Amino acid sequence: MWRLRLLVLGVLAAAPAEAQANSSDGFLEFSVGKFTHLLLSRPLPQEAILRHISGNVTFLLFQIHSQYQNTTVSFTKTLLPGTSGTGNDRGLVFMLRPEQTMCTWYLETKDAKPVQTVAIPLSYSERDPIPGGCNLEFDLDIDPNIYLDYNFFETTIKFAPANLGYARGAEPPPCDVSTGQESRWRLRYDVYQYFLPEGDLTEASLLQHLQRMAQVSQVKASAVKELFIMSSFRTRPSILRLPMFLYTHTLAALSPWTVTVPLRVSTKVFSTVFAVLGIFICFFGHRFWKTELFFVGFIFLGFFFYILISRLTSLKYDVRLVLTAVAGSIGGILLVASWWRFGTLMLCMLCVGLVLGFLVSSGTFFTPLGNLNVFRDDGVFWVTFSCITLLVPVIFMGCLRILNILACGAVGSYSVVLAIDSYIFSSLSYMTLNVLRRALNTDFRAAFIGVPFQTKDFLVLAVWGMLAVSGITLQIRRERGQAPFPPHPYKLWKQERERRVTNILDPSHHIPPLRERLYGRLTQIRELFQKEQPAGERTPLLL
């Protein structure tokens, strides 16, 4: 099993620092903008206090984080739905009253074991937007938290809309009275993405990277801005689901999402066998033309069959994979049979070109081009995708041998990438898997596609390129001076049969027909089970 960590951030503020909890008179004393480590245990809540709040601060955001265990943060000792939150990452917004210089929170946990946590209070002025200030969906009156939901295809980030800031003691601006520039509709939400080291789930690593992303300047320097959301859009953006450890951050608390992805044995077996065949095709596909046709037919029919049974049935993954393998094999046999009987070179090369075009088109949309808003529309996406796919065989229609060798090298070597992904995570596998997911789920069109590119991904990319270039170069050199494609098999078989019939000097002319040979062999087998007759002659005795 493996895990990947991903950090997604929105609007950030406050300067990072680190300290231990200061305890005076039974209180946990905090400082603005400083991360404080504390150990929470049952049964009584601990009181946290922040003193000497500046007069230009209009609201506070208190965050508390733990790695796995739940904690509760509340404005009052008695837990109320609108003033408390529970989770392993929670935040509360506190609107300050005029002349208020001190604020108190209550922290507790229901777990039997002590919980190691880190907390930080952040301060904001009346010019800063209030996260979750226009909440109408979640429990808190002002809910700054981010909520995550995910399925096989995507991760959905949900949050309450923010409101404009206002001075202490003033009435909050109305949320939905108008949509002008003087209302909260002018706000824009920026989403930043930052990937943490894969496999490192230690608390120290988490806190180190978390503090690195707590300041706007550091966010812009360390993270990548992936998308922005206008207030007129729904506040539920989607991103591509990756097997990962996800943290999201706005002015609110971090929200973790842990996914442990088991590596299925069926996927390993399928991808390994597919990769072995792909390596053979990469280096010898053009020479072994029928084997390549089986490989292409397998991909062609297997891809569409998997989409069909996934959309129309609720079969388990392993069952669908086995049925896809069977359907793909049938597709490969049919393509080989069509070539053997009819010798339709153009039809076979169209299938080969479409498979290569599919890989090229998938790679095109794997770039930032695929995240353009115009391609959120399914019609625009699939028309553009199909045009790029068809463009490849059209370009190489005048040099079919080059097209076939390029397809052998590129597609055959990419099967190795898919096999590597079944054992260890590789971002390159999402190049084609994203297309499959979009075909399976119509909601995937709204997902933002952003995957990490780590050192091992560059190594996998280098392996893919090396195999592709080596296979293409080897086949071009070996096929130099040879016929572009093998002759029509059925015509050869027919000519050979006519030659044997007319040429009496050919030893094969005297070979009995197939029906007689089968009948003779069956007769020999039948004689093995018959009782042997005694030799000699019998003469009756005369008395």
Side-chain angles (χ1 to χ4, degrees), residues 10-30:
V11 184
L12 301 179
E18 189 172 343
Q20 295 296 326
N22 298 322
S23 180
S24 59
D25 300 327
F27 296 103
L28 297 172
E29 192 162 347
F30 288 86

Side-chain angles (χ1 to χ4, degrees), residues 12 50 146 174-175 193 228 298 324 357 379 474 515 543:
L12 301 179
L50 177 65
I146 290 176
C175 290
Q193 183 172 262
F228 66 89
F298 184 95
T324 300
L474 176 65
R515 180 181 299 177
L543 298 177

Side-chain angles (χ1 to χ4, degrees), residues 21-32 36 38 46-53 60 62 74 100-107 121:
N22 298 322
S23 180
S24 59
D25 300 327
F27 296 103
L28 297 172
E29 192 162 347
F30 288 86
S31 299
V32 173
T36 303
L38 57 143
Q46 291 185 277
E47 191 171 353
I49 189 170
L50 177 65
R51 305 177 191 271
H52 310 298
I53 301 175
L60 298 171
F62 185 85
S74 174
Q100 183 177 358
T101 61
M102 186 178 68
C103 188
T104 304
W105 298 272
Y106 296 89
L107 314 175

Side-chain angles (χ1 to χ4, degrees), residues 237-504:
S238 299
I239 62 174
L240 168 67
R241 182 194 172 193
L242 296 173
M244 60 190 171
F245 198 85
L246 178 66
Y247 287 89
T248 49
H249 193 301
T250 60
L251 292 176
L254 292 174
S255 300
W257 172 54
T258 306
V259 178
T260 304
V261 181
L263 299 177
R264 296 176 181 268
V265 176
S266 58
T267 304
K268 288 183 178 181
V269 173
F270 181 87
S271 59
T272 301
V273 174
F274 189 69
V276 171
L277 181 58
I279 284 291
F280 181 83
I281 297 300
C282 178
F283 290 95
F284 307 101
H286 189 75
R287 174 66 61 87
F288 295 87
W289 169 242
K290 295 177 185 177
T291 306
E292 182 200 345
L293 290 182
F294 177 85
F295 182 73
V296 171
F298 184 95
I299 296 174
F300 207 88
L301 187 60
F303 179 79
F304 289 105
F305 183 80
Y306 184 83
I307 294 174
L308 183 66
I309 61 173
S310 297
R311 293 183 68 103
L312 300 181
T313 68
S314 58
L315 297 174
K316 293 183 178 180
Y317 171 79
D318 291 340
V319 177
R320 281 181 287 152
L321 193 62
V322 171
L323 293 177
T324 300
V326 174
S329 301
I330 295 174
I333 294 173
L334 289 177
L335 188 59
V336 173
S338 67
W339 160 251
W340 189 91
R341 179 60 182 84
F342 303 105
T344 51
L345 178 62
M346 295 302 296
L347 174 63
C348 295
M349 286 309 303
L350 177 62
C351 295
V352 172
L354 289 177
V355 171
L356 178 60
F358 175 84
L359 187 62
V360 172
S361 187
S362 300
T364 303
F365 283 97
F366 191 64
T367 64
L369 179 68
N371 286 319
L372 295 179
N373 289 330
V374 66
F375 295 120
R376 305 293 180 194
D377 183 86
D378 279 338
V380 175
F381 173 82
W382 288 116
V383 169
T384 308
F385 187 91
S386 301
C387 289
I388 297 176
T389 301
L390 290 170
L391 187 62
V392 172
V394 170
I395 291 176
F396 290 95
M397 195 56 67
C399 44
L400 296 180
R401 178 163 63 178
I402 296 298
L403 172 62
N404 190 55
I405 293 176
L406 289 176
C408 290
V411 179
S413 57
Y414 184 73
S415 65
V416 178
V417 175
L418 297 178
I420 292 175
D421 182 68
S422 66
Y423 292 92
I424 59 174
F425 172 74
S426 172
S427 297
L428 289 174
S429 63
Y430 284 90
M431 188 172 73
T432 52
L433 292 180
N434 287 342
V435 180
L436 178 62
R437 288 178 171 180
R438 183 149 187 173
L440 293 176
N441 187 0
T442 55
D443 292 334
F444 192 77
R445 62 189 177 188
F448 173 81
I449 300 173
V451 295
F453 233 74
Q454 304 173 91
T455 303
K456 65 178 180 180
D457 295 308
F458 287 103
L459 294 176
V460 173
L461 180 62
V463 171
W464 181 23
M466 180 188 66
L467 290 175
V469 172
S470 301
I472 293 171
T473 304
L474 176 65
Q475 294 196 72
I476 289 178
R477 292 178 62 87
R478 186 177 58 236
E479 299 300 322
R480 187 177 300 167
Q482 302 293 327
F485 290 93
H488 184 191
Y490 179 74
K491 285 185 177 180
L492 288 181
W493 175 81
K494 196 173 181 180
Q495 292 173 0
E496 181 67 16
R497 187 183 63 175
E498 292 175 354
R499 185 184 63 82
R500 290 198 306 266
V501 171
T502 58
N503 188 3
I504 61 173

